[in-house]
Amino acid sequence: EYRFMSVGIDDISFYSSGLYLSLSTLADHNGEDPDKYRVGLGQERMGVPAPDEDIVTLAANAARPLINDGNHDRITTILFATESSIDQSKAAGVYVQRLLGLGSNCRIVELKQACYSATAAIQMACGLVARKPGDQVLVIAADIARYGLGTPGEATQGCGAVAMLVKDSPRLLEVHPETGCYSEDVMDFWRPNYMDTALVDGKYSTIVYLKALRQSWKHYRENAGSVDFGDFSRFCYHLPFTKMGEKAHRKLAVTNGVSMDAELLEQQIGSGLLYNRQIGNSYSASLYIGLASLLENDKEDLSGKHIGLFSYGSGCVGEFFAMTVCNGYREHSRREQHLAMLEQRQELDYQTYAELFGHSCPQDGGEHYFPEMAAGHYRLAGIHDHKRIYSETD
Ligand code: HMG
């Protein structure tokens, strides 16, 4: 039995663009077998940002459903995790605070370490709440994964944001204090300040990911005492593409002398892969969109069960940690909201996708006014005088 103060995730909401590209359309254009993407990478679709969407609008759309009269003034901190930053100085969370109409007595900061930083944000949020129960922390992770047209990473692009409310006596998940970390200075994936697409050594990145998993798990076991693989009912992994999660889970099982057949694999990680298969890589948001997918789609009642999570960010930092699912979590599911958002997306043909790719994330310092394409409540209307102008739709 774990004994610690009950702190964790009270609510989760995510958002992706209203536009997507089917990976079979991409395969046709790139002259690849569609099964390479569908089976080999485990991806069906990828979210494509409209020109009037960025990490701020994705984040504000994700967080909007979480805010109500009860918590509006209790959110004392906003932690915004991203590697698609829009400014070297100003934290994206400051725009989000205004767009959501949150109280002004709030500390706000942006965090970066590739796809890992949302996990650092969760740990920091739990620390803040444990120190002062009653406070609530809004953790947001938002990213746009861009590798470039015709690159090997292209099929693993995507975009999305997830917002989580961290508080005491949470309704969804208690976060355990024990964790295992691994960090190493490697160049598997990075994006210099002068580039708007990532540089990646793809095969190497998958090897480092698995090494960081093994090492984080080893450290976790040193910290967590007698806990082992069999204590977890479900596992969630950072998902650059869903096949990576399957590979990671098989690797962890082998490391622990557990034989993993297709049925056990499906039971332990399958329901956590559904949303990411439709969205693509959302970098820092990806692990937590997977967590929402697990809670909202698993057929079994997971109340009281332990979930093992592995967060990975290239460069690299990995962390293995654990959560316990709260009794009654199903009453607070946002499954309908999330499924409706995914179903209402509009499919793009290849030509439109390629044109949009050239128009999103402008970094030329010029004046821009964007056509109204974003499907969500918030949009980036333009950039004037080097200032971003956000607006709300009805
Ligand atoms: P690639 O060279 O395009 O693909 O690169 P491949 O030839 O390795 O094929 C992919 C898989 O499809 C293989 O499966 C093939 O066998 C299979 P595997 O052998 O690996 O199990 N395949 C087929 N399966 C069925 N039917 C077919 C067929 N053809 C082939 N007809 C790669 C793939 C992932 C390297 C590339 O997409 C890439 O560079 N992606 C970006 C990097 C990445 O996602 N890395 C993941 C680990 S690092 C990480 O997760 C961090 C990250 O999120 C960034 C951050 O932290 O900020 C990326």
Side-chain angles (χ1 to χ4, degrees):
E1 227 0 72
Y2 292 94
R3 272 179 292 123
F4 51 87
M5 189 185 161
S6 174
V7 173
I9 301 173
D10 188 66
D11 204 350
I12 306 185
S13 163
F14 74 88
Y15 185 80
S16 182
S17 165
L19 306 173
Y20 75 88
L21 183 72
S22 163
L23 290 193
S24 60
T25 305
L26 185 63
D28 283 351
H29 180 270
N30 288 351
E32 298 279 8
D33 180 345
D35 275 352
K36 175 174 173 180
Y37 299 158
R38 203 176 54 80
V39 182
L41 296 176
Q43 291 301 122
E44 299 272 344
R45 296 172 173 178
M46 63 191 199
V48 177
D52 55 341
E53 282 180 312
D54 66 7
I55 52 161
V56 168
T57 65
L58 292 171
N61 283 317
R64 189 167 187 248
L66 301 188
I67 309 304
N68 54 50
D69 291 345
N71 61 27
H72 180 275
D73 290 322
R74 304 190 72 167
I75 294 173
T76 53
T77 303
I78 301 174
L79 301 177
F80 195 121
T82 187
E83 56 174 305
S84 319
S85 199
I86 50 163
D87 197 288
Q88 291 285 13
S89 174
K90 180 167 174 164
V94 180
Y95 295 103
V96 174
Q97 178 204 30
R98 176 176 57 81
L99 292 173
L100 296 178
L102 292 175
S104 48
N105 296 118
C106 196
R107 70 168 72 82
I108 307 172
V109 71
E110 192 168 300
L111 295 94
K112 173 178 69 187
Q113 175 23 55
C115 302
Y116 164 75
S117 58
T119 299
I122 288 286
Q123 299 294 6
M124 290 171 188
C126 288
L128 287 169
V129 172
R131 193 178 65 159
K132 195 160 177 298
D135 280 7
Q136 300 189 14
V137 179
L138 179 61
V139 171
I140 303 178
D143 269 308
I144 296 171
R146 283 166 65 85
Y147 291 93
L149 304 180
T151 61
E154 184 179 22
T156 64
Q157 296 177 143
C159 65
V162 65
M164 293 170 279
L165 211 52
V166 173
K167 63 185 280 292
D168 60 300
S169 308
R171 295 174 305 172
L172 299 182
L173 297 146
E174 286 181 356
V175 179
H176 299 193
E178 297 82 8
T179 81
C181 289
Y182 179 75
S183 51
E184 184 182 349
D185 183 5
V186 288
M187 298 302 279
D188 60 330
F189 168 108
W190 67 105
R191 183 169 67 83
N193 285 346
Y194 48 82
M195 295 194 66
D196 68 0
T197 49
L199 295 168
V200 61
D201 188 342
K203 290 277 184 293
Y204 178 55
S205 73
T206 62
I207 293 166
V208 187
Y209 176 120
L210 295 176
K211 179 182 178 189
L213 169 62
R214 278 194 317 275
Q215 297 295 334
S216 301
W217 171 253
K218 187 166 165 274
H219 188 223
Y220 176 76
R221 295 217 47 209
E222 286 162 16
N223 287 336
S226 58
V227 182
D228 68 27
F229 190 87
D231 292 324
F232 297 104
S233 301
R234 300 289 184 272
F235 293 79
C236 289
Y237 294 89
H238 165 54
L239 297 172
F241 47 92
T242 65
K243 193 65 175 289
M244 191 72 224
E246 294 183 12
K247 286 186 179 201
H249 196 52
R250 286 186 191 282
K251 176 66 78 183
L252 195 65
V254 167
T255 309
N256 286 281
V258 174
S259 74
M260 182 60 53
D261 60 19
E263 198 183 330
L264 188 59
L265 186 85
E266 174 59 27
Q267 185 199 79
Q268 294 194 321
I269 69 166
S271 48
L273 307 179
L274 302 177
Y275 294 154
N276 299 65
R277 215 190 294 283
Q278 304 299 324
I279 290 173
N281 197 353
S282 55
Y283 291 160
S284 60
S286 141
L287 172 65
Y288 297 95
I289 293 178
L291 180 61
S293 180
L294 171 72
L295 288 188
E296 294 172 9
N297 295 292
D298 207 287
K299 298 270 182 296
E300 212 180 295
D301 182 352
L302 299 176
S303 299
K305 304 266 197 246
H306 303 318
I307 301 175
L309 299 98
F310 176 63
S311 180
Y312 177 75
S314 286
C316 71
V317 177
E319 181 163 348
F320 191 95
F321 61 117
M323 300 187 188
T324 299
V325 183
C326 301
N327 290 332
Y329 73 102
R330 280 178 153 166
E331 287 158 42
H332 313 293
S333 167
R334 293 191 177 276
R335 187 166 188 269
E336 304 305 316
Q337 170 198 320
H338 292 146
L339 290 181
M341 187 266 297
L342 291 174
E343 272 160 26
Q344 284 160 15
R345 294 185 302 169
Q346 203 187 315
E347 182 170 1
L348 298 173
D349 58 29
Y350 180 84
Q351 195 55 37
T352 314
Y353 150 73
E355 279 164 22
L356 289 178
F357 191 88
H359 285 103
S360 61
C361 311
Q363 293 200 358
D364 57 5
E367 296 279 306
H368 293 276
Y369 294 94
F370 300 110
E372 205 168 318
M373 281 185 78
H377 183 73
Y378 301 102
R379 62 181 293 269
L380 173 65
I383 305 174
H384 169 64
D385 202 13
H386 303 284
K387 294 171 188 157
R388 288 183 174 243
I389 305 156
Y390 294 100
S391 64
E392 299 185 37
T393 57
D394 298 325

